[in-house]
Amino acid sequence: MSKLWQKKGKSPHTLVGKYTVGDDYIFDQKLMPFDIQGTKAHIKGLQKIGIFTKSELKKLLKELTNLKSKVKKDEIKVSIDDEDCHTVIENYLTKKLGKLGQKIHTGRSRNDQVLTAIRLYMKSSLDEIKKLSTKLAKEFLKYAEKYQNIPLPGYTHTQQAMLSSIGHYFCGFTESLIDDISFLDKTYSHINKNPLGSAAGFGVPLALDREFTTKELGFESTQINSLYCQNSRGKFESVYTESLVQIMLTLGRFATDLLLFTSQEFNFFKVSDSLVTGSSIMPQKRNLDGMEILRGNTSVVIENHQLIQNLVKNLMSGYNRDLQLMKKPLFESTDMVIASLQIVSLHLKGITPNKKSIKEKITKEIFSADIATEIAKKNKIPFRIAYQQALKKTQKYKPDFQQNINSKISLGAPGNLNLSYYKKLLHSK
Ligand code: ARG
């Protein structure tokens, strides 16, 4: 396959080709459907300014649709010789339609082409991630309601602190995910800008109808300055991956909790056989590897976010080939977040609270702060004095878990979860 930039009789050393393409041709397979979408919008725009006739446009669009279905069926793959998906598209059209195919690159560069494709990819992934996050937030809420009266020790410094409930614990994840979803929404609107038509970064001597392609591709607005279009590559990926980091920060905490809470020492939850793996030497082992991988993936997603910032920081304005290396962390993080949301959902279904064991593990001292508050309220004395008296009383205290949960009436506490608030919020998502 010929390169789009090949000049007659000249080609670089094979090592240069291999080194510069790297794994990019594999990542471009993912981008191809979005690049086809961008190409369709671009050529429709070209037809509007007289570069193509209506019937030429029709032929090109038809071939692009055929190509898209071939890509979907894995019949067409980007190879290392192709270099990238942009080359595959142009060469395919040229093979099918001759000179007409060679005309599609009028008024564009691979620089705005790849920008557009990545942006469309990020928008579509944000949609999918939002759907899965919303589903998971609803699942946490469902179990929060179901288990709202089951006690659970609350910890600070990994030491028992005050009594909580499973409902309270799960509801925290619902609210965390709601915040993460709102970050996804903000990210979506931040990146919802069309870079197509910025060409190599400096525009073209053609009256491209950029507003038209903006509408055609479903972008909210047009990214105007053609140089900034290029300079936003990496910055937008960084905002996008930050929104993924937020989700992993939520899920990673759940993973660590679950690993502890299902260990013999805690034994707060029973785990379904479908979630555990075993050991080749220790027959008794029931390991929750999924949550360990989730914990590790959280680090990878954070690292990928930083890698993107590192790759783009201090680059000279305009396109630089380094930008290509952002695809790996971008795609890897996206796939990890999607899989992590799914795995947590599965774990939520596969765990059941072990009420007896939880109750046995709750220490009397966990009620000391409540006793101190009670003494202060009853005797109208300063809390600091009540605090001094509380520990003694704790020893003789006969805990009533349900009563204690019910007594925590401050907003957002175990006795006042405000479940309907979350229900309403998630209902509109
Ligand atoms: N694979 C390249 C990338 O991701 C496509 C753009 C190439 N542009 C260029 N001027 N070499 O950045």
Side-chain angles (χ1 to χ4, degrees), residues 42-81:
H42 177 65
I43 59 174
K44 281 183 190 172
L46 289 184
Q47 186 274 317
K48 285 189 86 211
I49 58 167
I51 307 286
F52 293 121
T53 65
K54 278 201 167 134
S55 83
E56 284 175 331
L57 175 66
K58 223 170 135 191
K59 280 186 209 160
L60 285 165
L61 289 175
K62 194 170 151 234
E63 285 307 335
L64 282 167
T65 304
N66 289 342
L67 175 62
K68 195 172 172 184
S69 75
K70 284 186 182 162
V71 170
K72 206 172 169 191
K73 285 187 252 162
D74 263 347
E75 284 169 18
I76 289 200
K77 289 216 176 256
V78 187
S79 73
I80 191 154
D81 288 335

mmCIF file of all heavy atoms in Angstrom, residues 42-81:
data_model
loop_
_atom_site.group_PDB
_atom_site.id
_atom_site.type_symbol
_atom_site.label_atom_id
_atom_site.label_comp_id
_atom_site.label_asym_id
_atom_site.label_seq_id
_atom_site.Cartn_x
_atom_site.Cartn_y
_atom_site.Cartn_z
ATOM 1 N N HIS A 42 -16.675 15.461 6.052
ATOM 2 C CA HIS A 42 -15.752 16.306 5.299
ATOM 3 C C HIS A 42 -16.132 16.351 3.822
ATOM 4 O O HIS A 42 -16.196 17.427 3.215
ATOM 5 C CB HIS A 42 -14.320 15.781 5.472
ATOM 6 C CG HIS A 42 -13.310 16.542 4.679
ATOM 7 N ND1 HIS A 42 -13.035 17.872 4.923
ATOM 8 C CD2 HIS A 42 -12.507 16.179 3.628
ATOM 9 C CE1 HIS A 42 -12.113 18.290 4.061
ATOM 10 N NE2 HIS A 42 -11.781 17.276 3.266
ATOM 11 N N ILE A 43 -16.439 15.179 3.245
ATOM 12 C CA ILE A 43 -16.726 15.193 1.798
ATOM 13 C C ILE A 43 -18.103 15.801 1.506
ATOM 14 O O ILE A 43 -18.312 16.399 0.462
ATOM 15 C CB ILE A 43 -16.550 13.801 1.137
ATOM 16 C CG1 ILE A 43 -17.477 12.755 1.775
ATOM 17 C CG2 ILE A 43 -15.082 13.363 1.177
ATOM 18 C CD1 ILE A 43 -17.444 11.406 1.053
ATOM 19 N N LYS A 44 -19.021 15.678 2.467
ATOM 20 C CA LYS A 44 -20.318 16.373 2.272
ATOM 21 C C LYS A 44 -20.072 17.879 2.227
ATOM 22 O O LYS A 44 -20.675 18.611 1.444
ATOM 23 C CB LYS A 44 -21.271 16.042 3.426
ATOM 24 C CG LYS A 44 -21.931 14.672 3.304
ATOM 25 C CD LYS A 44 -22.903 14.480 4.454
ATOM 26 C CE LYS A 44 -23.386 13.048 4.516
ATOM 27 N NZ LYS A 44 -24.186 12.782 5.726
ATOM 28 N N GLY A 45 -19.171 18.328 3.091
ATOM 29 C CA GLY A 45 -18.805 19.747 3.123
ATOM 30 C C GLY A 45 -18.124 20.149 1.818
ATOM 31 O O GLY A 45 -18.385 21.233 1.285
ATOM 32 N N LEU A 46 -17.279 19.263 1.288
ATOM 33 C CA LEU A 46 -16.582 19.579 0.030
ATOM 34 C C LEU A 46 -17.570 19.685 -1.128
ATOM 35 O O LEU A 46 -17.420 20.533 -2.014
ATOM 36 C CB LEU A 46 -15.525 18.503 -0.285
ATOM 37 C CG LEU A 46 -14.277 18.462 0.607
ATOM 38 C CD1 LEU A 46 -13.297 17.405 0.089
ATOM 39 C CD2 LEU A 46 -13.569 19.824 0.654
ATOM 40 N N GLN A 47 -18.579 18.836 -1.087
ATOM 41 C CA GLN A 47 -19.590 18.901 -2.152
ATOM 42 C C GLN A 47 -20.326 20.253 -2.105
ATOM 43 O O GLN A 47 -20.596 20.861 -3.138
ATOM 44 C CB GLN A 47 -20.567 17.722 -1.988
ATOM 45 C CG GLN A 47 -21.586 17.555 -3.095
ATOM 46 C CD GLN A 47 -22.829 18.400 -2.885
ATOM 47 O OE1 GLN A 47 -23.342 18.480 -1.766
ATOM 48 N NE2 GLN A 47 -23.317 19.021 -3.933
ATOM 49 N N LYS A 48 -20.562 20.746 -0.887
ATOM 50 C CA LYS A 48 -21.267 22.031 -0.735
ATOM 51 C C LYS A 48 -20.482 23.182 -1.358
ATOM 52 O O LYS A 48 -21.063 24.182 -1.771
ATOM 53 C CB LYS A 48 -21.483 22.337 0.751
ATOM 54 C CG LYS A 48 -22.589 21.501 1.374
ATOM 55 C CD LYS A 48 -22.917 21.986 2.762
ATOM 56 C CE LYS A 48 -23.916 23.104 2.687
ATOM 57 N NZ LYS A 48 -23.872 24.100 3.662
ATOM 58 N N ILE A 49 -19.149 23.048 -1.404
ATOM 59 C CA ILE A 49 -18.367 24.146 -2.000
ATOM 60 C C ILE A 49 -17.852 23.779 -3.401
ATOM 61 O O ILE A 49 -16.904 24.365 -3.920
ATOM 62 C CB ILE A 49 -17.204 24.606 -1.073
ATOM 63 C CG1 ILE A 49 -16.251 23.443 -0.740
ATOM 64 C CG2 ILE A 49 -17.722 25.243 0.198
ATOM 65 C CD1 ILE A 49 -14.947 23.888 -0.111
ATOM 66 N N GLY A 50 -18.493 22.781 -3.996
ATOM 67 C CA GLY A 50 -18.252 22.498 -5.412
ATOM 68 C C GLY A 50 -17.076 21.590 -5.743
ATOM 69 O O GLY A 50 -16.702 21.457 -6.900
ATOM 70 N N ILE A 51 -16.460 20.971 -4.739
ATOM 71 C CA ILE A 51 -15.322 20.081 -5.037
ATOM 72 C C ILE A 51 -15.831 18.757 -5.642
ATOM 73 O O ILE A 51 -15.194 18.165 -6.500
ATOM 74 C CB ILE A 51 -14.473 19.801 -3.771
ATOM 75 C CG1 ILE A 51 -14.037 21.097 -3.082
ATOM 76 C CG2 ILE A 51 -13.282 18.874 -4.066
ATOM 77 C CD1 ILE A 51 -12.938 21.888 -3.768
ATOM 78 N N PHE A 52 -16.972 18.305 -5.174
ATOM 79 C CA PHE A 52 -17.598 17.091 -5.715
ATOM 80 C C PHE A 52 -18.981 17.424 -6.268
ATOM 81 O O PHE A 52 -19.655 18.324 -5.742
ATOM 82 C CB PHE A 52 -17.788 16.032 -4.606
ATOM 83 C CG PHE A 52 -16.506 15.469 -4.067
ATOM 84 C CD1 PHE A 52 -16.203 15.597 -2.717
ATOM 85 C CD2 PHE A 52 -15.607 14.799 -4.885
ATOM 86 C CE1 PHE A 52 -15.036 15.084 -2.199
ATOM 87 C CE2 PHE A 52 -14.427 14.281 -4.372
ATOM 88 C CZ PHE A 52 -14.138 14.425 -3.028
ATOM 89 N N THR A 53 -19.411 16.661 -7.269
ATOM 90 C CA THR A 53 -20.804 16.766 -7.710
ATOM 91 C C THR A 53 -21.632 15.898 -6.763
ATOM 92 O O THR A 53 -21.078 15.077 -6.018
ATOM 93 C CB THR A 53 -20.975 16.226 -9.148
ATOM 94 O OG1 THR A 53 -20.677 14.820 -9.112
ATOM 95 C CG2 THR A 53 -20.063 16.937 -10.122
ATOM 96 N N LYS A 54 -22.951 16.082 -6.855
ATOM 97 C CA LYS A 54 -23.818 15.282 -5.982
ATOM 98 C C LYS A 54 -23.647 13.798 -6.245
ATOM 99 O O LYS A 54 -23.642 12.983 -5.326
ATOM 100 C CB LYS A 54 -25.279 15.693 -6.175
ATOM 101 C CG LYS A 54 -25.616 16.929 -5.382
ATOM 102 C CD LYS A 54 -27.103 17.048 -5.140
ATOM 103 C CE LYS A 54 -27.341 18.112 -4.098
ATOM 104 N NZ LYS A 54 -28.378 19.045 -4.425
ATOM 105 N N SER A 55 -23.508 13.434 -7.527
ATOM 106 C CA SER A 55 -23.418 12.003 -7.811
ATOM 107 C C SER A 55 -22.061 11.437 -7.380
ATOM 108 O O SER A 55 -21.959 10.301 -6.936
ATOM 109 C CB SER A 55 -23.728 11.704 -9.282
ATOM 110 O OG SER A 55 -22.597 11.900 -10.055
ATOM 111 N N GLU A 56 -21.014 12.258 -7.458
ATOM 112 C CA GLU A 56 -19.702 11.796 -6.957
ATOM 113 C C GLU A 56 -19.774 11.567 -5.447
ATOM 114 O O GLU A 56 -19.280 10.571 -4.930
ATOM 115 C CB GLU A 56 -18.622 12.848 -7.262
ATOM 116 C CG GLU A 56 -18.189 12.851 -8.713
ATOM 117 C CD GLU A 56 -17.199 13.983 -9.017
ATOM 118 O OE1 GLU A 56 -17.255 15.048 -8.344
ATOM 119 O OE2 GLU A 56 -16.390 13.819 -9.948
ATOM 120 N N LEU A 57 -20.426 12.502 -4.778
ATOM 121 C CA LEU A 57 -20.562 12.386 -3.323
ATOM 122 C C LEU A 57 -21.296 11.095 -2.965
ATOM 123 O O LEU A 57 -20.902 10.369 -2.046
ATOM 124 C CB LEU A 57 -21.325 13.605 -2.761
ATOM 125 C CG LEU A 57 -21.630 13.549 -1.263
ATOM 126 C CD1 LEU A 57 -20.339 13.609 -0.441
ATOM 127 C CD2 LEU A 57 -22.551 14.700 -0.841
ATOM 128 N N LYS A 58 -22.356 10.841 -3.725
ATOM 129 C CA LYS A 58 -23.152 9.635 -3.463
ATOM 130 C C LYS A 58 -22.295 8.369 -3.551
ATOM 131 O O LYS A 58 -22.371 7.488 -2.685
ATOM 132 C CB LYS A 58 -24.303 9.559 -4.484
ATOM 133 C CG LYS A 58 -25.617 9.166 -3.860
ATOM 134 C CD LYS A 58 -26.741 9.329 -4.817
ATOM 135 C CE LYS A 58 -27.624 8.093 -4.736
ATOM 136 N NZ LYS A 58 -28.601 8.050 -5.804
ATOM 137 N N LYS A 59 -21.481 8.325 -4.607
ATOM 138 C CA LYS A 59 -20.603 7.148 -4.797
ATOM 139 C C LYS A 59 -19.633 6.995 -3.630
ATOM 140 O O LYS A 59 -19.424 5.896 -3.111
ATOM 141 C CB LYS A 59 -19.785 7.315 -6.090
ATOM 142 C CG LYS A 59 -20.544 6.973 -7.333
ATOM 143 C CD LYS A 59 -19.587 7.041 -8.518
ATOM 144 C CE LYS A 59 -20.389 7.413 -9.765
ATOM 145 N NZ LYS A 59 -19.584 7.954 -10.838
ATOM 146 N N LEU A 60 -19.051 8.116 -3.240
ATOM 147 C CA LEU A 60 -18.069 8.072 -2.146
ATOM 148 C C LEU A 60 -18.736 7.632 -0.838
ATOM 149 O O LEU A 60 -18.202 6.800 -0.100
ATOM 150 C CB LEU A 60 -17.423 9.452 -1.961
ATOM 151 C CG LEU A 60 -16.392 9.863 -3.011
ATOM 152 C CD1 LEU A 60 -16.108 11.360 -2.949
ATOM 153 C CD2 LEU A 60 -15.077 9.087 -2.817
ATOM 154 N N LEU A 61 -19.911 8.201 -0.572
ATOM 155 C CA LEU A 61 -20.600 7.863 0.689
ATOM 156 C C LEU A 61 -20.951 6.382 0.724
ATOM 157 O O LEU A 61 -20.822 5.726 1.763
ATOM 158 C CB LEU A 61 -21.863 8.721 0.859
ATOM 159 C CG LEU A 61 -21.632 10.206 1.162
ATOM 160 C CD1 LEU A 61 -22.959 10.968 1.184
ATOM 161 C CD2 LEU A 61 -20.895 10.398 2.489
ATOM 162 N N LYS A 62 -21.378 5.884 -0.446
ATOM 163 C CA LYS A 62 -21.762 4.469 -0.508
ATOM 164 C C LYS A 62 -20.543 3.585 -0.197
ATOM 165 O O LYS A 62 -20.638 2.634 0.600
ATOM 166 C CB LYS A 62 -22.303 4.151 -1.918
ATOM 167 C CG LYS A 62 -23.032 2.834 -1.984
ATOM 168 C CD LYS A 62 -23.757 2.653 -3.303
ATOM 169 C CE LYS A 62 -23.808 1.163 -3.590
ATOM 170 N NZ LYS A 62 -23.278 0.812 -4.891
ATOM 171 N N GLU A 63 -19.410 3.924 -0.780
ATOM 172 C CA GLU A 63 -18.198 3.119 -0.528
ATOM 173 C C GLU A 63 -17.737 3.231 0.922
ATOM 174 O O GLU A 63 -17.233 2.267 1.499
ATOM 175 C CB GLU A 63 -17.067 3.522 -1.482
ATOM 176 C CG GLU A 63 -17.236 3.017 -2.901
ATOM 177 C CD GLU A 63 -17.477 1.501 -3.017
ATOM 178 O OE1 GLU A 63 -17.064 0.754 -2.112
ATOM 179 O OE2 GLU A 63 -18.107 1.079 -4.005
ATOM 180 N N LEU A 64 -17.935 4.415 1.494
ATOM 181 C CA LEU A 64 -17.538 4.578 2.902
ATOM 182 C C LEU A 64 -18.424 3.727 3.812
ATOM 183 O O LEU A 64 -17.957 3.161 4.801
ATOM 184 C CB LEU A 64 -17.595 6.060 3.310
ATOM 185 C CG LEU A 64 -16.410 6.905 2.831
ATOM 186 C CD1 LEU A 64 -16.683 8.399 2.987
ATOM 187 C CD2 LEU A 64 -15.119 6.532 3.580
ATOM 188 N N THR A 65 -19.710 3.649 3.448
ATOM 189 C CA THR A 65 -20.628 2.798 4.240
ATOM 190 C C THR A 65 -20.212 1.336 4.100
ATOM 191 O O THR A 65 -20.191 0.590 5.085
ATOM 192 C CB THR A 65 -22.090 3.008 3.773
ATOM 193 O OG1 THR A 65 -22.366 4.400 3.881
ATOM 194 C CG2 THR A 65 -23.078 2.221 4.611
ATOM 195 N N ASN A 66 -19.871 0.937 2.864
ATOM 196 C CA ASN A 66 -19.389 -0.445 2.657
ATOM 197 C C ASN A 66 -18.139 -0.716 3.482
ATOM 198 O O ASN A 66 -18.023 -1.764 4.122
ATOM 199 C CB ASN A 66 -19.000 -0.680 1.183
ATOM 200 C CG ASN A 66 -20.234 -0.722 0.302
ATOM 201 O OD1 ASN A 66 -21.340 -0.905 0.806
ATOM 202 N ND2 ASN A 66 -20.047 -0.531 -0.998
ATOM 203 N N LEU A 67 -17.232 0.254 3.466
ATOM 204 C CA LEU A 67 -15.986 0.084 4.210
ATOM 205 C C LEU A 67 -16.284 -0.083 5.707
ATOM 206 O O LEU A 67 -15.709 -0.947 6.374
ATOM 207 C CB LEU A 67 -15.065 1.295 3.972
ATOM 208 C CG LEU A 67 -13.770 1.341 4.776
ATOM 209 C CD1 LEU A 67 -12.868 0.157 4.446
ATOM 210 C CD2 LEU A 67 -12.989 2.639 4.518
ATOM 211 N N LYS A 68 -17.212 0.731 6.187
ATOM 212 C CA LYS A 68 -17.542 0.672 7.615
ATOM 213 C C LYS A 68 -18.053 -0.722 7.997
ATOM 214 O O LYS A 68 -17.667 -1.274 9.033
ATOM 215 C CB LYS A 68 -18.593 1.740 7.963
ATOM 216 C CG LYS A 68 -18.685 1.967 9.449
ATOM 217 C CD LYS A 68 -19.563 3.148 9.782
ATOM 218 C CE LYS A 68 -19.772 3.188 11.296
ATOM 219 N NZ LYS A 68 -20.660 4.226 11.694
ATOM 220 N N SER A 69 -18.897 -1.282 7.144
ATOM 221 C CA SER A 69 -19.418 -2.607 7.512
ATOM 222 C C SER A 69 -18.329 -3.680 7.386
ATOM 223 O O SER A 69 -18.299 -4.632 8.157
ATOM 224 C CB SER A 69 -20.695 -2.948 6.746
ATOM 225 O OG SER A 69 -20.378 -3.288 5.445
ATOM 226 N N LYS A 70 -17.406 -3.494 6.463
ATOM 227 C CA LYS A 70 -16.279 -4.438 6.359
ATOM 228 C C LYS A 70 -15.384 -4.351 7.597
ATOM 229 O O LYS A 70 -14.879 -5.363 8.078
ATOM 230 C CB LYS A 70 -15.454 -4.160 5.100
ATOM 231 C CG LYS A 70 -16.143 -4.673 3.859
ATOM 232 C CD LYS A 70 -15.279 -4.532 2.646
ATOM 233 C CE LYS A 70 -16.083 -5.038 1.441
ATOM 234 N NZ LYS A 70 -15.584 -4.617 0.180
ATOM 235 N N VAL A 71 -15.193 -3.138 8.083
ATOM 236 C CA VAL A 71 -14.364 -2.949 9.285
ATOM 237 C C VAL A 71 -15.055 -3.619 10.472
ATOM 238 O O VAL A 71 -14.437 -4.309 11.282
ATOM 239 C CB VAL A 71 -14.133 -1.442 9.565
ATOM 240 C CG1 VAL A 71 -13.489 -1.220 10.920
ATOM 241 C CG2 VAL A 71 -13.268 -0.832 8.468
ATOM 242 N N LYS A 72 -16.366 -3.436 10.530
ATOM 243 C CA LYS A 72 -17.139 -4.015 11.636
ATOM 244 C C LYS A 72 -17.042 -5.538 11.638
ATOM 245 O O LYS A 72 -16.942 -6.170 12.694
ATOM 246 C CB LYS A 72 -18.603 -3.572 11.498
ATOM 247 C CG LYS A 72 -19.317 -3.569 12.825
ATOM 248 C CD LYS A 72 -20.681 -2.952 12.715
ATOM 249 C CE LYS A 72 -21.436 -3.246 14.019
ATOM 250 N NZ LYS A 72 -22.825 -2.913 13.890
ATOM 251 N N LYS A 73 -17.030 -6.088 10.439
ATOM 252 C CA LYS A 73 -16.945 -7.556 10.336
ATOM 253 C C LYS A 73 -15.494 -8.047 10.368
ATOM 254 O O LYS A 73 -15.229 -9.216 10.084
ATOM 255 C CB LYS A 73 -17.605 -8.015 9.022
ATOM 256 C CG LYS A 73 -19.132 -7.944 9.086
ATOM 257 C CD LYS A 73 -19.750 -8.568 7.855
ATOM 258 C CE LYS A 73 -20.324 -7.509 6.952
ATOM 259 N NZ LYS A 73 -20.608 -7.819 5.600
ATOM 260 N N ASP A 74 -14.585 -7.125 10.645
ATOM 261 C CA ASP A 74 -13.151 -7.467 10.710
ATOM 262 C C ASP A 74 -12.586 -7.925 9.374
ATOM 263 O O ASP A 74 -11.570 -8.641 9.330
ATOM 264 C CB ASP A 74 -12.906 -8.569 11.765
ATOM 265 C CG ASP A 74 -12.470 -7.968 13.087
ATOM 266 O OD1 ASP A 74 -12.134 -6.765 13.096
ATOM 267 O OD2 ASP A 74 -12.480 -8.681 14.098
ATOM 268 N N GLU A 75 -13.238 -7.532 8.286
ATOM 269 C CA GLU A 75 -12.740 -7.941 6.971
ATOM 270 C C GLU A 75 -11.614 -7.027 6.492
ATOM 271 O O GLU A 75 -10.849 -7.389 5.609
ATOM 272 C CB GLU A 75 -13.886 -7.916 5.950
ATOM 273 C CG GLU A 75 -14.823 -9.115 6.105
ATOM 274 C CD GLU A 75 -16.091 -8.963 5.291
ATOM 275 O OE1 GLU A 75 -16.137 -8.138 4.348
ATOM 276 O OE2 GLU A 75 -17.049 -9.674 5.619
ATOM 277 N N ILE A 76 -11.593 -5.820 7.085
ATOM 278 C CA ILE A 76 -10.504 -4.910 6.713
ATOM 279 C C ILE A 76 -9.748 -4.506 7.972
ATOM 280 O O ILE A 76 -10.352 -4.093 8.958
ATOM 281 C CB ILE A 76 -11.050 -3.675 5.963
ATOM 282 C CG1 ILE A 76 -11.516 -4.131 4.596
ATOM 283 C CG2 ILE A 76 -10.027 -2.544 5.914
ATOM 284 C CD1 ILE A 76 -11.640 -3.088 3.551
ATOM 285 N N LYS A 77 -8.456 -4.705 7.925
ATOM 286 C CA LYS A 77 -7.627 -4.379 9.086
ATOM 287 C C LYS A 77 -6.523 -3.426 8.675
ATOM 288 O O LYS A 77 -6.003 -3.526 7.564
ATOM 289 C CB LYS A 77 -6.994 -5.655 9.646
ATOM 290 C CG LYS A 77 -8.004 -6.557 10.337
ATOM 291 C CD LYS A 77 -7.317 -7.214 11.528
ATOM 292 C CE LYS A 77 -8.268 -8.058 12.318
ATOM 293 N NZ LYS A 77 -8.731 -7.534 13.524
ATOM 294 N N VAL A 78 -6.172 -2.537 9.586
ATOM 295 C CA VAL A 78 -5.047 -1.638 9.308
ATOM 296 C C VAL A 78 -3.771 -2.454 9.530
ATOM 297 O O VAL A 78 -3.632 -3.104 10.559
ATOM 298 C CB VAL A 78 -5.035 -0.437 10.292
ATOM 299 C CG1 VAL A 78 -3.971 0.575 9.888
ATOM 300 C CG2 VAL A 78 -6.407 0.226 10.382
ATOM 301 N N SER A 79 -2.888 -2.437 8.523
ATOM 302 C CA SER A 79 -1.632 -3.184 8.690
ATOM 303 C C SER A 79 -0.491 -2.209 8.948
ATOM 304 O O SER A 79 -0.633 -1.001 8.741
ATOM 305 C CB SER A 79 -1.341 -4.005 7.439
ATOM 306 O OG SER A 79 -0.926 -3.132 6.419
ATOM 307 N N ILE A 80 0.623 -2.759 9.346
ATOM 308 C CA ILE A 80 1.787 -1.898 9.625
ATOM 309 C C ILE A 80 2.224 -1.154 8.357
ATOM 310 O O ILE A 80 2.653 -0.003 8.415
ATOM 311 C CB ILE A 80 2.929 -2.707 10.285
ATOM 312 C CG1 ILE A 80 4.011 -1.762 10.813
ATOM 313 C CG2 ILE A 80 3.511 -3.751 9.354
ATOM 314 C CD1 ILE A 80 4.806 -2.326 11.955
ATOM 315 N N ASP A 81 2.028 -1.798 7.208
ATOM 316 C CA ASP A 81 2.389 -1.133 5.945
ATOM 317 C C ASP A 81 1.447 0.015 5.598
ATOM 318 O O ASP A 81 1.835 0.976 4.949
ATOM 319 C CB ASP A 81 2.376 -2.140 4.783
ATOM 320 C CG ASP A 81 3.562 -3.085 4.875
ATOM 321 O OD1 ASP A 81 4.569 -2.675 5.486
ATOM 322 O OD2 ASP A 81 3.465 -4.222 4.371
#
